[in-house]
Amino acid sequence: MSVRFAGYAAVFDRPDGGGDIIRKGAFLDSLKRAGEVPLLWQHKAGRVLGRIEHLSEDKRGLRVIARLDGGAEGRRVGALLQDGKLDGLSFGYRVREARSGPCRELVELDLVEVSLVAKPMQRLARVHAVDAAL
């Protein structure tokens, strides 16, 4: 059994815990350039959890739909998602363009990875749907 989920790894126009604000359009060029973006556990490069099936910007933020693999860690994290004990999403990036001010505005980013996390930097970056599939 695998678990599929949907949510937002980033939410536009809201400051995160570090004071950064991501602006709409920040991911557009990166998504055009990117190949497969890995789905990680807690931003750890060696801890791939599964596969991202859909990644796009919409009016709210960076929307992600992904499926966890059937390995031991994927099953463990999937159970946490299904039980509602885990719902944080985050992403790794490199800044291509930012504007300074009271909050740093992230205007263009290179997306490196998406992670399921216990505590996201952007409190609104959450999984909002979980489905167990055979």
Side-chain angles (χ1 to χ4, degrees):
M1 181 169 76
S2 66
V3 174
R4 191 170 184 233
F5 68 89
Y8 286 88
V11 177
F12 298 137
D13 303 324
R14 298 290 186 97
D16 67 17
D20 290 340
I21 297 175
I22 301 166
R23 296 299 184 201
K24 184 169 176 41
F27 298 101
L28 288 178
D29 287 342
S30 182
L31 291 172
K32 289 176 192 171
R33 287 189 304 269
E36 188 169 330
V37 175
L39 175 66
L40 304 179
W41 174 242
Q42 302 277 26
H43 301 290
K44 295 182 175 144
R47 312 255 322 251
V48 177
L49 289 175
R51 183 177 176 93
I52 295 174
E53 298 176 345
H54 174 85
L55 200 53
S56 65
E57 274 198 20
D58 65 16
K59 65 182 181 180
R60 183 165 190 236
L62 181 64
R63 179 163 165 72
V64 61
I65 299 171
R67 182 178 306 274
L68 299 176
D69 67 24
E73 191 158 53
R75 288 192 307 272
R76 181 179 63 78
V77 172
L80 293 171
L81 281 171
Q82 289 179 299
D83 292 343
K85 295 178 179 173
L86 174 73
D87 69 351
L89 280 168
S90 186
F91 65 98
Y93 64 97
R94 284 187 284 284
V95 177
R96 291 182 66 87
E97 182 182 346
R99 291 190 287 256
S100 298
C103 290
R104 181 172 71 154
E105 293 181 55
L106 302 176
V107 178
E108 186 178 351
L109 301 173
D110 276 334
L111 182 63
V112 176
E113 52 90 3
V114 172
S115 284
L116 282 162
V117 296
K119 186 172 180 177
M121 183 73 91
Q122 168 48 263
R123 65 180 184 82
L124 299 173
R126 302 287 176 175
V127 170
H128 62 254
V130 179
D131 181 37
L134 298 175

